[in-house]
DNA sequence: TGACTTAATTATGAATTCAAAATTACGCTG
DNA sequence: CAGCGTAATTTTGAATTCATAATTAAGTCA
């Protein structure tokens, strides 16, 4: 019955693979917030049975991307203002810590890497290429995270970051906010180069709060229009 | 086939219930770190089939309590020094934030609650009742967490806390460390009463680092003896 | 006896099946 | 024809089944 076409998954554990495949679908809103997760369709699409798919959904639920309603199936969670106001402060505290630790452990080579990413981000900003900007932006935050040399911190940060990502992605920044964000990143780079942990921590904290405010603003503007 | 005795689980979703039941088994080391999880036995014990149990194991794995080895089953994770050195700083940052936020939102009634718990903890200390001490201690941290009014923070903290709990529980504190811990808690209460957020944050941060050091010390003393 | 092969057993991962719950479709009554 | 109640259908949750991988046991030969 099950065909092993190129589309079909067959490496490592199926449920783990499915988690990795479902996450992007939720992040880029192919599976829309507030909608029901079409179990049957997804099984066909990935060429798997319900068992591993449901296992994956349980994991995604514990990460907050999916909500399980007993006897009613799985639903893509909404990004609400309440959630944004909750998650960003936590993310801020974690990123601040990552900055602190990164300054202690980062190598010169890694700093050069961040510098290169930063330059690339500036170019994306100048070209008003939001997709590229977001992509590089994330790489920078990730590079700092990795420099912190703390796998637990990385995991925690990324889990929360993921939850905010689709909102952040959807939320078109205002011209003014975008400018400010770039300025903040300028300072982030400077702190990192100077290996000034406390300063970097404070900057990242502020950066996160500004992001929060920006996302909230966008959410509120959407309230009248449509739920994300 | 499946009997619905009082032992058998039947409320809400089975996998969720199983997560809640398996966690304590791992925390109190009934399922010993480093050992294989006896799937079959647990199915019999809880009167469920393998499907929901395996779903629960996937969730526990994403929380770091269990490690899944492809085609080799599920294993209880070890608490290593590397992990302790990673998790406590993250926990410290989160608890610091919880202190900060708690000072902003806590009610007088809640402060009285913490005061009562604190008094109870002192009594446990004076009676050298470590079990009671740990239990009340956790209640205090949880009360502060709840006063922070941030469900995401609560969830994140508790997930990490859980991972450290069995180590913390096993790690008999030295007389000196126990005394210091009580002093730290004295200060925590004072900061809370004064609603001094920054001070409480700093105190909790230091408290966590002292806990880390204490656990590491114990782990090292165990290295020669036996792996936990 | 001891290392190596191979067969038997067991455990795992995932598909399938089945009972129960929820949803939808239908028909009845006012 | 609108609202309610009941039957048919679909979906969900969980048990069972089945193929495959891993482990253990048995047997072979130096």
């Amino acid at each position: 019955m099950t065909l092993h076409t190129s589309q079909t998954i067959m490496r490592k554990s199926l449920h783990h693979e499915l988690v990795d495949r479902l996450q992007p679908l939720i992040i880029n809103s192919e599976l829309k917030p507030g909608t029901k997760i079409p179990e049957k369709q997804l099984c066909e699409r990935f060429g798997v049975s319900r068992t591993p798919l449901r296992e994956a959904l349980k994991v995604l639920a514990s990460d907050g991307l999916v909500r399980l309603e007993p006897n009613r199936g799985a639903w893509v969670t909404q990004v609400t203002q309440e959630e944004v106001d909750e998650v960003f402060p936590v993310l801020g505290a974690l990123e601040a810590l990552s900055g602190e630790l990164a300054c202690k452990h980062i190598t010169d080579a890694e700093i050069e890497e961040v510098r290169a990413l930063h330059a690339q981000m500036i170019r994306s900003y100048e070209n008003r290429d939001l997709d590229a900007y977001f992509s590089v932006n994330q790489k920078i935050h990730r590079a700092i995270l990795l420099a912190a040399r703390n796998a637990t911190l990385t995991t925690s940060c990324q889990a929360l970051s993921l939850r905010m990502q689709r909102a952040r992605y959807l939320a078109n920044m205002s011209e003014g906010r975008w400018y400010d964000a770039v300025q903040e990143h300028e300072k982030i780079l400077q702190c990192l180069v100077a290996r000034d942990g406390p300063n970097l921590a404070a900057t990242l904290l502020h950066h996160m709060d500004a992001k929060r405010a920006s996302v909230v603003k966008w959410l509120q503007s959407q309230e009248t229009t449509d739920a994300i």
Side-chain angles (χ1 to χ4, degrees), chain A:
Chain A
M1 180 93 282
T2 304
L3 300 171
H4 284 272
T5 64
S6 58
Q7 278 290 65
T8 307
I9 299 164
M10 43 194 121
R11 82 154 210 250
K12 66 175 173 182
S13 75
L14 228 25
H15 98 276
H16 191 279
E17 179 76 16
L18 284 169
V19 168
D20 286 350
R21 293 246 207 163
L22 290 172
Q23 272 178 352
L25 296 190
I26 296 173
I27 299 311
N28 67 22
S29 291
E30 191 172 326
L31 294 173
K32 293 196 181 56
T35 64
K36 193 156 186 230
I37 293 186
E39 215 175 82
K40 211 169 186 177
Q41 263 176 254
L42 291 173
C43 285
E44 284 172 20
R45 171 167 180 174
F46 294 124
V48 300
S49 74
R50 284 174 59 221
T51 308
L53 184 78
R54 297 177 93 264
E55 287 171 348
L57 291 176
K58 306 269 187 299
V59 172
L60 291 172
S62 90
D63 285 347
L65 290 176
V66 157
R67 190 166 34 84
L68 300 174
E69 288 194 22
N71 292 321
R72 299 205 51 241
W75 303 69
V76 182
T77 51
Q78 303 259 4
V79 182
T80 63
Q81 186 186 333
E82 291 73 40
E83 201 194 3
V84 169
D85 282 334
E86 268 193 3
V87 174
F88 272 103
V90 179
L91 210 40
L94 294 179
E95 290 240 358
L97 176 61
S98 86
E100 197 94 54
L101 294 175
C103 284
K104 284 199 187 119
H105 301 300
I106 197 165
T107 64
D108 291 342
E110 285 173 318
I111 288 183
E112 285 317 304
E113 217 173 289
V114 173
R115 201 196 294 279
L117 287 169
H118 183 80
Q120 201 182 328
M121 193 185 74
I122 299 293
R123 282 197 297 278
S124 304
Y125 169 65
E126 287 167 349
N127 297 334
R128 294 297 181 278
D129 184 344
L130 196 60
D131 278 4
Y133 177 85
F134 270 125
S135 165
V136 184
N137 187 307
Q138 278 195 211
K139 280 183 191 163
I140 291 172
H141 283 279
R142 188 175 165 76
I144 296 174
L145 211 44
L146 291 178
R149 313 277 190 264
N150 186 320
T152 303
L153 180 58
T154 301
T155 305
S156 301
C157 252
Q158 294 212 301
L160 293 177
S161 206
L162 218 55
R163 279 169 67 182
M164 292 299 98
Q165 220 161 290
R166 66 198 139 141
R168 231 187 288 170
Y169 185 79
L170 289 173
N172 268 303
M173 288 188 286
S174 69
E175 183 57 40
R177 170 60 203 142
W178 199 353
Y179 176 81
D180 288 346
V182 170
Q183 294 310 307
E184 286 156 25
H185 264 272
E186 207 70 63
K187 192 171 172 197
I188 287 168
L189 180 60
Q190 282 164 20
C191 289
L192 205 55
V193 169
R195 290 189 168 82
D196 183 347
N199 207 349
L200 179 52
T203 305
L204 284 167
L205 201 56
H206 170 259
H207 185 56
M208 277 293 144
D209 193 56
K211 275 189 188 176
R212 181 198 57 75
S214 163
V215 170
V216 164
K217 197 175 162 190
W218 178 81
L219 272 181
Q220 285 175 338
S221 79
Q222 290 293 306
E223 241 166 44
T224 43
T225 320
D226 215 344
I228 54 164

